[in-house]
Amino acid sequence: MLSRQRFATTALSFAAVAAIGLGGAFMGAPAQAEEGEACTTKKFSSSKVEKACKDGGRAGAKTYMKAVLKKGKAAGEELSCKTCHSSLKTFALAPGAADNLKRIEAL
């Protein structure tokens, strides 16, 4: 059986590990959420994507892109994120991405 002191030390250790693992949320530190991330590119081929990034960061751009995909799929296009992005971690553009986006936006 654990003594009170050892139990308290163990409990505090677990709490500290949990707080660190959650970005310090338990300790009052702000956790960086995806919604708060800014778009990293400074060069936009679409004014609509630029506006979405300025208004809502990566989350805003992602919301806009999902709407574009939905619109394209409704028009019978076979689309996915990889249609325009070569990497979903860095959001690097695939060749022809700007032309694809303009074509889909015009549907």
Side-chain angles (χ1 to χ4, degrees), residues 4-106:
R4 284 186 196 182
Q5 183 178 9
R6 185 165 176 158
F7 176 78
T9 303
T10 303
L12 285 174
S13 296
F14 281 117
V17 170
I20 291 168
L22 294 172
F26 290 138
M27 312 239 348
Q32 185 174 358
E34 182 179 331
E35 292 80 27
E37 292 181 15
C39 293
T40 55
T41 189
K42 303 297 179 218
K43 182 181 174 188
F44 295 92
S45 59
S46 166
S47 61
K48 293 178 182 180
V49 174
E50 184 175 13
K51 180 175 178 5
C53 278
K54 287 182 179 179
D55 292 346
R58 281 191 177 178
K62 188 175 182 180
T63 298
Y64 177 71
M65 289 296 150
K66 284 185 176 188
V68 169
L69 282 176
K70 186 176 180 179
K71 179 180 180 181
K73 287 179 180 180
E77 298 279 333
E78 288 189 34
L79 302 170
S80 73
C81 297
K82 288 284 196 171
T83 301
C84 295
H85 292 281
S86 60
S87 170
L88 299 182
K89 289 185 179 184
T90 63
F91 303 105
L93 295 179
D99 292 333
N100 282 335
L101 178 62
K102 287 177 185 176
R103 180 179 54 78
I104 298 164
E105 285 177 331

